[in-house]
């Protein structure tokens, strides 16, 4: 079975060279905040995209390392370190309008030490004069500068031709055969490696109280009843260095790639610090990949000391994860080995829901019945009409709705239709991929 890991392309560069604009141009959506103010991108943005039939993961590193009390070079240096460590191809963005700046030289010096392929994008080359002037970036010693205007969509084809030419022709490794691929993700020090050891029944990962002990994803193949399970320990989400409260730096590139390999992801929560903002942030990575999700409250052996009941914990977790209300919640103690069998059984059930198909006629009858009971609201002179629906894939369950105007489908009505499907077919623990196709699309 060939690898499902997609190449990872990271955009690096000093602030305000247009990394987010370039990112948005390449993915075709305005997914990153774009502003003239340096340092606008507060969160790392990562998404899967396709260019000329080449699927890959694109990362805008602009928000990887934004701390108000650190100098700008330390921020940029952090981006470069992560890109060098995890990316297959690095896009070094510079500003053709301002020319070479001292920070560009620093970035170039750092990048020259890596053996990773690097493409030099001279962004903001909005006209022929600036495109010609971009030749000065040869001085950086990175290679040929490619004049690009992300804002005006100039030169992006030339840039991406060079990027995809660096993709490996063969998969990096062969994926082991398994009935279920299960990723374990979570904040630092919640017990991911210990849980893997408890599930596998032997000490396969280093267990330590020091956050970030496990630098790379670890795979373990095991048997559960009559199922083979590939365990992917993704202990790469961690804090690095001393950071201020509420501001954390994620090293999540390899973790997201590991999630993309999995069928179901266990998001491990800490009973002593339930449902933090970082937990919900990680959950959204799982849902962005449309993977099955389980919320597992670990360290439950400490619940009595904290005078915490399951009912109280359920309320807190459900409140934090209202956007994933369909996710099952399990209680485990990796230290004592309790709740492990139930967790694995739940993972198997979620996988079955994630790969479930429903009869087309029955699906259409139920959805159109829901539409008749609660028709879409009018918008001016136009009205949204839904003609039919079909499930066109599983793993994840994917549905296409055939409508007259796809741009008229409000997110609240999408949620109503999703709830109607779940009321009929459950899909416990599985996100639903929903697409609306207009008559002219």
């Amino acid at each position: 079975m060939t690898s499902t890991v997609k190449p990872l392309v990271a955009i690096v560069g000093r602030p305000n060279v247009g990394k987010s604009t370039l990112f948005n141009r390449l993915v075709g959506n305005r997914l990153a905040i774009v502003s003239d103010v340096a340092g606008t991108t507060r969160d790392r943005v990562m998404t899967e995209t396709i260019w000329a039939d080449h699927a890959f993961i694109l990362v805008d590193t602009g928000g990887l390392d934004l701390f108000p009390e650190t100098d700008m070079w330390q921020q940029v240096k952090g981006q470069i370190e992560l890109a060098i460590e995890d990316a297959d191809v690095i896009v070094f963005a510079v500003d053709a309008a301002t020319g070479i700046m001292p920070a560009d030289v620093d970035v170039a010096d750092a990048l020259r030490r890596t053996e990773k392929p690097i493409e030099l994008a001279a962004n903001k080359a909005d006209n022929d004069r600036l495109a010609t002037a971009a030749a000065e970036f040869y001085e950086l010693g990175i290679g040929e500068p490619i004049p690009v205007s992300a804002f005006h969509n100039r030169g992006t084809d030339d840039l991406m031709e060079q990027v995809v030419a660096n993709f490996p022709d063969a998969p990096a490794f062969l994926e082991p055969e398994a009935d279920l691929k299960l990723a374990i993700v979570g904040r630092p020090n919640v017990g991911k490696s210990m849980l893997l050891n408890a599930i596998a029944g032997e000490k396969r990962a280093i267990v330590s109280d020091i956050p970030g002990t496990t630098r790379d994803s670890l795979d373990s193949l095991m048997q559960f009843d009559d199922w083979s399970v590939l365990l992917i320990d993704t202990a790469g989400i961690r804090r690095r260095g001393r950071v201020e409260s509420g501001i954390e730096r994620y090293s999540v590139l390899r973790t997201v790639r590991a999630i993309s390999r999995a069928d179901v992801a266990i998001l491990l929560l800490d009973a002593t610090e339930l449902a933090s903002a970082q937990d919900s942030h990680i959950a959204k990575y799982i849902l962005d990949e449309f993977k099955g999700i389980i919320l597992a409250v670990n360290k439950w052996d400490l619940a009595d000391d904290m005078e915490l009941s399951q009912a109280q914990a359920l309320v807190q977790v459900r409140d934090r994860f209202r956007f994933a209300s369909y996710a099952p919640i399990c209680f485990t103690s990796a230290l004592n080995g309790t709740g492990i069998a139930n967790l694995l059984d739940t993972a198997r059930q979620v996988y079955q829901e994630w790969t479930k198909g429903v009869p087309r006629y029955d699906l259409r009858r139920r959805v159109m019945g829901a539409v008749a009971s609660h028709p879409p609201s009018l918008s001016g002179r136009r009205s949204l009409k839904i003609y039919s629906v079909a499930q066109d894939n599983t793993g994840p369950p994917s549905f296409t709705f055939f409508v007259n105007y796809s741009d008229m489908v409000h997110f609240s009505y999408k949620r109503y239709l999703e709830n109607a499907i779940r009321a009929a077919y459950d899909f416990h623990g599985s996100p639903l991929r929903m697409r609306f196709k207009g008559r002219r699309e």
Side-chain angles (χ1 to χ4, degrees):
M1 186 173 181
T2 57
S3 167
T4 56
V5 176
K6 299 176 179 65
L8 190 147
V9 178
I11 304 173
V12 305
R14 64 178 174 81
N16 217 27
V17 296
K19 294 188 296 293
S20 296
T21 306
L22 180 59
F23 175 92
N24 292 337
R25 175 62 65 185
L26 297 181
V27 300
N29 294 292
R30 292 181 61 85
L31 297 181
I33 300 169
V34 177
S35 168
D36 291 332
V37 181
T40 299
T41 308
R42 287 291 182 265
D43 295 309
R44 180 210 50 77
V45 181
M46 176 188 300
T47 189
E48 290 188 22
T49 189
I50 297 175
W51 192 280
D53 296 328
H54 294 274
F56 61 97
I57 298 172
L58 184 67
V59 181
D60 172 17
T61 63
L64 275 172
D65 225 350
L66 291 172
F67 300 105
E69 302 303 323
T70 58
D71 65 66
M72 193 60 69
W73 168 239
Q74 288 301 317
Q75 300 177 35
V76 178
K77 185 179 178 182
Q79 300 170 18
I80 296 168
E81 289 172 353
L82 291 178
I84 289 174
E85 188 176 4
D86 293 297
D88 296 294
V89 183
I90 299 170
V91 174
F92 176 20
V94 293
D95 188 336
T98 62
I100 296 176
M101 304 292 284
D104 295 323
V105 177
D106 291 336
V107 174
D109 289 344
L111 291 179
R112 274 197 300 271
R113 300 188 186 102
T114 178
E115 297 179 357
K116 299 290 179 71
I118 302 169
E119 299 300 335
L120 180 57
N123 193 28
K124 304 186 185 180
D126 298 341
N127 53 50
D128 292 339
R129 179 184 63 80
L130 289 173
T132 301
E136 75 167 293
F137 290 99
Y138 273 109
E139 296 178 19
L140 295 175
I142 292 296
E144 180 182 1
I146 303 172
V148 170
S149 173
F151 186 80
H152 295 291
N153 197 22
R154 290 168 53 114
T156 50
D157 286 339
D158 296 335
L159 172 64
M160 290 310 301
E161 283 179 11
Q162 296 299 316
V163 169
V164 300
N166 290 299
F167 290 170
D169 295 327
F173 58 89
L174 295 179
E175 188 85 3
E177 292 284 354
D179 297 316
L180 168 63
K181 296 172 186 173
L182 188 61
I184 304 172
V185 301
R187 289 187 286 119
N189 217 26
V190 295
K192 294 183 292 295
S193 295
M194 188 175 287
L195 178 64
L196 179 138
N197 293 337
I199 292 175
E202 57 183 286
K203 195 167 183 177
R204 298 197 182 190
I206 299 170
V207 177
S208 168
D209 290 332
I210 302 172
T213 299
T214 308
R215 291 184 58 83
D216 299 300
S217 299
L218 302 173
D219 290 357
S220 298
L221 192 61
M222 59 162 287
Q223 199 73 18
F224 176 64
D225 294 340
D226 57 343
W227 281 53
S228 58
V229 180
L230 182 68
L231 293 174
I232 307 169
D233 174 25
T234 58
I237 295 182
R238 61 193 186 276
R239 294 186 180 100
R240 283 187 178 180
R242 184 178 300 170
V243 295
E244 296 183 2
S245 176
I247 305 176
E248 295 174 337
R249 169 182 172 185
Y250 300 110
S251 177
V252 297
L253 306 190
R254 70 175 62 87
T255 299
V256 173
R257 300 178 82 175
I259 290 172
S260 72
R261 293 171 51 208
D263 305 318
V264 177
I266 297 172
L267 174 52
L268 207 57
L269 310 177
D270 190 331
T272 65
E273 189 184 354
L274 273 177
S276 72
Q278 189 176 352
D279 291 325
S280 60
H281 194 113
I282 298 169
K284 288 173 182 176
Y285 283 114
I286 301 172
L287 301 186
D288 285 347
E289 294 284 342
F290 289 94
K291 303 298 182 178
I293 182 171
I294 300 170
L295 306 175
V297 181
N298 193 33
K299 305 183 183 179
W300 194 242
D301 52 288
L302 303 176
D304 290 341
D305 295 339
M306 297 185 296
E307 299 182 348
L308 180 66
S309 68
Q310 281 198 12
Q312 293 170 323
L314 285 170
V315 169
Q316 293 184 49
V317 174
R318 285 288 176 222
D319 183 62
R320 169 64 71 179
F321 295 96
R322 282 175 288 183
F323 58 88
S325 58
Y326 50 83
I329 301 174
C330 297
F331 293 85
T332 65
S333 170
L335 180 64
N336 296 338
T338 57
I340 303 301
N342 178 61
L343 179 63
L344 288 173
D345 193 54
T346 302
R348 182 165 55 179
Q349 294 171 18
V350 168
Y351 175 79
Q352 290 169 337
E353 293 292 300
W354 189 67
T355 56
K356 183 171 68 178
V358 298
R360 177 165 183 163
Y361 173 78
D362 188 64
L363 171 68
R364 187 181 185 280
R365 178 179 62 84
R366 290 179 181 269
V367 170
M368 297 312 293
V371 172
S373 299
H374 180 54
S377 58
L378 295 176
S379 177
R381 296 183 179 181
R382 296 197 306 171
S383 61
L384 173 66
K385 294 181 180 179
I386 298 176
Y387 303 117
S388 187
V389 61
Q391 183 179 5
D392 45 29
N393 213 339
T394 62
S398 303
F399 301 89
T400 296
F401 294 79
F402 299 93
V403 301
N404 54 347
Y405 302 111
S406 60
D407 61 333
M408 291 189 64
V409 186
H410 193 266
F411 76 89
S412 61
Y413 202 74
K414 291 180 183 178
R415 187 168 59 235
Y416 169 73
L417 294 173
E418 177 177 343
N419 290 339
I421 293 175
R422 291 191 183 278
Y425 306 108
D426 195 6
F427 290 112
H428 193 49
S430 175
L432 305 183
R433 191 192 298 268
M434 299 172 63
R435 185 168 68 102
F436 293 84
K437 187 175 182 181
R439 286 183 298 187
R440 297 181 181 179
E441 297 174 7

